């Protein structure tokens, strides 16, 4: 699949390619991200220690990379605040992950982001929700027309 050329001339393209997570429970993670979230495996491999790894296409060529680590212990707080995935229907997406047993940490709601970007001062209306994924990570569903 050929990707369009990005607009970041300093990096020769730019744009988010993937976010990487560790998982203790490979099968649970693959079931959740494939069956519930609809992410599609594009690349899979084995690490030298025999642990598995994969890149899942989240849509539009953006990826979630997952590394199996049976000894991994989820950390309460880390540098990664959350992962946001674009959706056209926050409410339906939230109900889908709720039905899969995930903990909703913020119900769907409409907010206006106060935009302080130079020359773009109008508030940005968005619809968002948050949930905890199968490995303790925090996900945001994000719906808007501007970004």
């Amino acid at each position: 699949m050929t990707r369009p050329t990005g607009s970041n001339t300093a990096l020769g393209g730019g744009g988010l390619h993937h976010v990487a997570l560790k998982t203790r429970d490979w099968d649970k993670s693959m079931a959740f991200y494939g069956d519930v979230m609809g992410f599609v495996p594009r690349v899979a491999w084995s690490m030298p220690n025999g642990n598995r790894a994969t890149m899942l296409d989240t849509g539009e060529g953006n990826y979630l990379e997952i590394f199996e680590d049976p000894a991994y212990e989820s950390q309460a707080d880390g540098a990664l605040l959350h992962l946001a995935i674009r959706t056209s229907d926050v409410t339906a997406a939230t109900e889908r992950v709720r039905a899969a047993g995930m903990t909703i940490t913020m119900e769907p709601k409409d907010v206006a982001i106060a935009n302080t970007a130079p020359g773009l001062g109008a508030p940005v209306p968005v619809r968002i929700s948050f949930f905890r994924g199968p490995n303790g990570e925090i996900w945001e569903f994000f719906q808007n027309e501007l970004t």
Side-chain angles (χ1 to χ4, degrees), residues 65-82:
E65 186 176 40
I66 300 180
F67 291 89
E68 181 180 36
D69 182 354
Y72 173 68
E73 294 292 334
S74 178
Q75 302 299 310
D77 292 314
L80 181 65
L81 182 59
H82 66 266

Side-chain angles (χ1 to χ4, degrees), residues 8-9 11 13 18 20 24 59 74-76 79 92 95 117 119-120 128 138 145:
N8 183 329
T9 57
L11 298 179
H18 73 270
R24 174 181 229 161
S74 178
Q75 302 299 310
E95 291 310 312
L120 301 173
I128 58 174
I138 298 293
E145 301 296 323

